[in-house]
């Protein structure tokens, strides 16, 4: 036999690199000639077990191809589907109809509570772009409008039109203190700098009720995000360089100039090289490679003169003012993480600033979730004479790095190694609330609420995590009078609207009040009270049968009442065939109750379901089993645009979505029970499939498929080799783990892997047969895989 080795020489522009490369090619050529001659290598043993397909030749259909999605929608106006449900004249929820739903985004309410401005996002199938624009809602009209008038949007006006400005967006609405204007971010051309193709986000301002067009309020050298407008001015976030060369008075300009040089459009500066030198972990974050840029909040004063707002973008702390980089060049990110936003900072009406940030340049960043709350007292009260606390210096010095935490302000959580986030000032500006986790490595730890009195310096605990409540708050809003804190929490796979007394806390007579636990709620702002004194909030509500819409939520005794304010998707949903959602409770792998959603296939009526019996010959439906990621997460009563359960139900599947052990919203202990025991999600899923098949004879046991992403993808891999034979006819793994030890080396979130599996993957313990790395890895049983 002849063995031929080949190598490709890598020749660079540097001639000194050519020698070794050419030498490698020459050596491979010699090896190729040598191995063709008679030698002991000619008698190679035959490999008995090779994974070669049995057939001799594939058909042409096995060549790579581009799939075509099931969709026919060509424009926003045409939201018909490519097919109708056989049992109905309604349209199937195919990919086009799903994408064609209108999405409600961020909303703001004027200080007097009479007006709201909110984001509306539609997809235009002709332009192949999302059109994200602003609408206005006149809340003062609501009490006198009928339900039909509200459904016809008599109280709504579209404020911006991206199609008239080169398909640019308008987002992040913020009211001026007077309530007559709204500022927003848009990437429409400014006409001042750059080209129309630059698409850099700037701050624009618009009279809410007219007349007048939007005008530019502030443009910056780089694109900005996360707009906020408080008493003294506006705050935006911008990614700027924070290495030593960039710590200057104007980091935005330095960043813009440096980005232009690094772009090296003609190759004259870097020779086309696009490389980054990493010296520490992490090197990635979600979907991007990290560099020396970090997101920082920038504050700039805004003044109103002759009914005209102006923004002073030159009043930085380095020039003696109160504006500019609120982190003063410290190398930490605010907003923090891939999903951070404006909730990572708060500006007080009393002039204070609070941020949630990682300790700068911490060596254990890859091994901990730690973030602290830092307070800059009176920072916004600085004037040209630099009066107030935290007086800045004109220039930064090298020794400033010795006290980078001090530059951020007073650390209020220095004694807590866990995750402190969502700083929120009270309306009077002198109390600061935030969410807190105690554990330094567990990202799904129980969440509590703390409040710091800026005047007295005393910090108190309103809600002690793990002790006072079995659920975790995930947002914070003060009531207008400062007496209560409102928040949402995952309660049995629904985002419930809750509140707590801002002084007595969980130990008060009311404790923690759950106002609304049906569907899933997002809280925007308080917008007034009824004649009887009941608080009203602007909220977004969604469910398994309804995409997000705006609602007016009124807090009443023992609950809340809801009135729907927008109906962007009402008619579309009414014309779409959906399944009937419900819940089932069954015994999981630990013989404890496990909740799952069961969506009936579209077209299956309650009457047909009730009359179904085993062996009756009645129509049976395939079952799609969808298990969530995390693993500490949940499948909720909400409308999802990636894993939408109704998408499958509309196509004729029954859908089972188990919230297995490890899911959030069912108690802290229930959530913790998956750490170190990752197979429990699959065990609970198998139990859920068995329970569904036993209870519902209209489900076809021979047509069951499983689907999941992330931990759900892991579950698909684990089920292949562990589920009962022929339980699943197909398994879909999206970005799922296959081998746990190799996954350890493929992530920089080492805190996650080491917490979930009891330590690093390179220790002697990880090699032992009873290590979670060994017991639960799907690769262990790959030789038993049979399901496609």
């Amino acid at each position: 036999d002849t063995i031929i080795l080949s190598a490709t020489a890598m020749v660079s522009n540097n001639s000194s690199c050519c020698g070794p490369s050419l030498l490698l090619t020459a050596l491979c050529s010699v090896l190729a000639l040598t191995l063709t001659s008679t030698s002991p290598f000619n008698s190679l043993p035959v490999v008995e077990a090779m994974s070669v397909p049995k057939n001799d030749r594939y058909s042409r259909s096995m060549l790579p191809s581009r799939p075509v999605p099931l969709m026919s929608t060509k424009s926003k106006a045409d939201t018909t589907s490519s097919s109708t449900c056989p049992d109905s004249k309604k349209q199937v929820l195919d990919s086009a109809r799903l994408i064609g739903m209108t999405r409600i985004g961020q909303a703001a309410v004027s200080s007097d509570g009479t007006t709201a401005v909110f984001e509306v996002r539609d997809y235009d199938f002709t332009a192949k772009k999302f059109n994200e624009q602003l609408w206005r809602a006149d809340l003062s009209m609501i009490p006198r409008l009928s339900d039909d008038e509200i459904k016809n949007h008599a109280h709504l006006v579209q404020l911006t039109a991206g199609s008239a400005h080169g398909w640019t967006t308008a987002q992040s609405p913020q009211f001026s203190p007077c309530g007559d204007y709204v500022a927003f971010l848009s990437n429409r051309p400014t006409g001042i700098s750059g080209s129309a193709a630059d698409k850099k986000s700037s701050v624009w301002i618009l009279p809410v009720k007219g007349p007048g067009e939007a005008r530019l309020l502030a443009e910056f050298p780089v694109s900005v995000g996360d707009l906020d407008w408080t008493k003294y001015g506006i705050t935006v976030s911008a990614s700027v360089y924070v290495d030593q060369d960039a710590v200057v008075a104007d980091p935005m300009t330095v960043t813009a100039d440096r980005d232009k040089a690094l772009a090296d459009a003609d190759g004259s500066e870097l020779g086309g090289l696009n490389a980054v030198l990493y010296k520490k972990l992490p090197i990635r974050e979600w979907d991007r490679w990290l560099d020396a840029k970090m997101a920082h909040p920038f504050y700039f004063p805004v003044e109103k003169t002759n009914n005209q707002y102006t923004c002073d973008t030159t009043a930085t702390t380095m020039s003696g003012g109160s504006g500019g980089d609120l982190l003063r060049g410290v190398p930490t990110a605010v907003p923090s993480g891939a999903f951070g936003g404006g909730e990572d900072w708060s500006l007080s009406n009393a002039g204070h600033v609070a941020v949630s940030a990682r300790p700068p340049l911490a060596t254990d960043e890859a091994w901990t979730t730690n973030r602290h709350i830092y307070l800059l007292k009176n920072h916004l009260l600085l004037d040209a004479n630099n009066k107030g606390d935290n007086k800045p210096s004109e220039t930064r010095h090298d020794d400033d790095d010795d006290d980078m935490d001090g530059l951020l302000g007073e650390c209020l959580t220095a004694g807590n190694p866990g995750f402190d986030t969502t700083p929120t000032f009270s309306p009077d500006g002198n109390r600061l609330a935030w969410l807190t986790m105690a554990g330094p490595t567990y990202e799904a730890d129980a969440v509590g609420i703390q409040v710091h009195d800026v005047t007295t310096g005393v910090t108190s605990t309103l809600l002690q995590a793990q002790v006072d409540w079995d659920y975790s708050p995930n947002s914070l809003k003060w009531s207008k009078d400062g007496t209560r804190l409102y928040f949402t929490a995952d309660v049995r796979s629904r985002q419930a609207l809750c509140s707590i007394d801002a002084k007595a806390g969980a130990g008060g007579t009311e404790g923690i009040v759950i106002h609304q636990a049906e569907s899933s709620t997002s809280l925007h702002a308080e917008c007034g009270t009824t004649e009887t004194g009941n608080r009203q909030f602007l909220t977004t509500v969604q469910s398994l049968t309804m995409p997000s819409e705006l609602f007016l939520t009124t807090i009443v005794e023992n609950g809340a009442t809801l009135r729907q304010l927008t109906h962007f998707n009402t008619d579309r949903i009414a014309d779409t065939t959906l399944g009937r959602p419900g819940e089932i409770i069954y015994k999981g792998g630990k013989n404890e109750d496990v909740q799952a959603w069961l969506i009936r296939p579209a077209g299956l009526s309650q009457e047909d379901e009730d009359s179904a019996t085993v062996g009756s010959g009645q129509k049976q439906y395939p079952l799609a089993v969808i298990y969530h990621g995390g693993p500490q997460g949940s499948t909720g009563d909400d409308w999802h645009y990636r894993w939408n359960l109704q998408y499958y139900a509309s196509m004729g599947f029954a859908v089972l979505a188990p919230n297995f052990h490890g899911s959030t919203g069912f108690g802290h202990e229930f959530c913790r029970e998956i750490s170190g025991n990752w197979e429990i999600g699959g065990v609970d899923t198998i139990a859920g499939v068995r329970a569904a098949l036993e209870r519902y004879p209209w489900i076809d046991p021979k047509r069951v498929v499983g689907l999941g992403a992330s931990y759900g993808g892991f579950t698909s891999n684990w089920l292949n080799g562990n589920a009962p034979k022929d339980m699943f006819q197909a398994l879909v793994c999206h970005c799922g783990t296959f081998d746990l030890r190799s996954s350890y080396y493929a992530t920089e979130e080492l805190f996650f892997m080491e917490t979930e599996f009891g330590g690093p993957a390179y220790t002697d313990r990880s090699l032992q047969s009873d290590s979670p790395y060994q017991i639960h890895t799907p690769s262990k049983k790959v030789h038993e895989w049979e399901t496609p």
Side-chain angles (χ1 to χ4, degrees), residues 110-132:
S110 61
S111 56
D112 62 5
T114 62
T115 309
V117 175
F118 58 97
E119 299 170 348
V120 175
R121 192 179 185 209
D122 285 302
Y123 189 78
D124 189 287
F125 287 88
T126 300
K128 297 188 183 302
K129 293 180 178 180
F130 275 105
N131 187 19
E132 190 169 12

Side-chain angles (χ1 to χ4, degrees), residues 542-559:
Q542 58 178 313
S543 70
L544 285 164
T545 58
M546 182 185 70
S548 295
E549 299 281 4
L550 284 183
F551 278 72
L552 184 65
T553 298
T554 303
I555 304 300
V556 298
E557 187 176 1
N558 299 322

Side-chain angles (χ1 to χ4, degrees), residues 584-606:
I584 67 171
I585 305 296
Y586 62 91
K587 295 297 182 181
K590 298 174 70 68
N591 200 33
E592 297 173 345
D593 285 349
V594 174
Q595 181 262 11
W597 294 103
L598 182 71
I599 316 297
R600 278 69 176 173
L604 178 65
S605 67
Q606 184 66 59

Side-chain angles (χ1 to χ4, degrees), residues 138-268:
D138 189 339
L139 302 180
S140 66
M141 296 176 62
I142 301 303
R144 59 180 184 270
L145 292 180
S146 67
D147 289 342
D148 284 340
E149 289 173 320
I150 289 180
K151 184 178 179 182
N152 291 327
H153 288 174
H155 57 304
L156 301 186
V157 174
Q158 185 171 351
L159 291 180
T160 63
S163 57
H165 298 277
W167 289 101
T168 54
T169 62
Q171 55 191 358
S172 299
Q174 291 289 317
F175 274 94
S176 62
C178 68
D180 295 333
Y181 294 83
V182 64
F184 61 94
L185 297 176
S186 179
N187 58 351
R188 61 180 64 181
T190 63
I192 296 177
S193 65
S195 64
D198 197 17
K199 300 289 186 172
K200 181 180 64 179
S201 288
S202 302
V203 182
W204 295 72
I205 189 170
L206 177 72
V208 178
K209 299 180 180 179
E213 294 291 327
R215 65 176 180 83
L216 185 66
L217 178 64
E219 182 185 18
F220 305 96
V222 297
S223 193
V224 296
D226 303 301
L227 176 64
D228 189 22
W229 193 345
T230 51
K231 177 179 178 180
Y232 296 102
I234 62 170
T235 309
V236 293
S237 67
S239 291
V240 294
Y241 288 103
V242 293
D243 47 0
Q244 193 61 44
D245 294 340
V247 182
V248 293
D250 189 1
M252 286 193 188
T253 298
V254 169
T255 296
D257 293 343
R258 188 163 161 184
D259 278 345
K260 184 177 180 180
L262 290 175
D264 195 25
D266 59 1
S268 60

Side-chain angles (χ1 to χ4, degrees), residues 456-519:
T456 64
V458 175
T459 299
S460 57
T461 299
L462 292 188
L463 170 60
Q464 186 175 353
Q466 190 83 24
V467 176
D468 291 332
W469 206 34
D470 219 9
Y471 308 101
S472 289
N474 53 40
S475 64
L476 274 181
K477 295 279 186 183
W478 286 86
S479 62
K480 281 191 172 182
D481 61 7
T483 61
R484 297 194 72 80
L485 278 162
Y486 287 83
F487 56 89
T488 54
D490 187 353
V491 177
R492 297 194 62 79
S493 67
R494 295 175 174 88
Q495 290 298 312
L497 176 60
C498 315
S499 74
I500 190 172
D501 188 281
K503 289 187 177 179
T509 55
E510 289 183 295
I512 300 160
V513 181
I514 300 178
H515 301 286
Q516 162 66 10
E518 299 299 320
S519 306

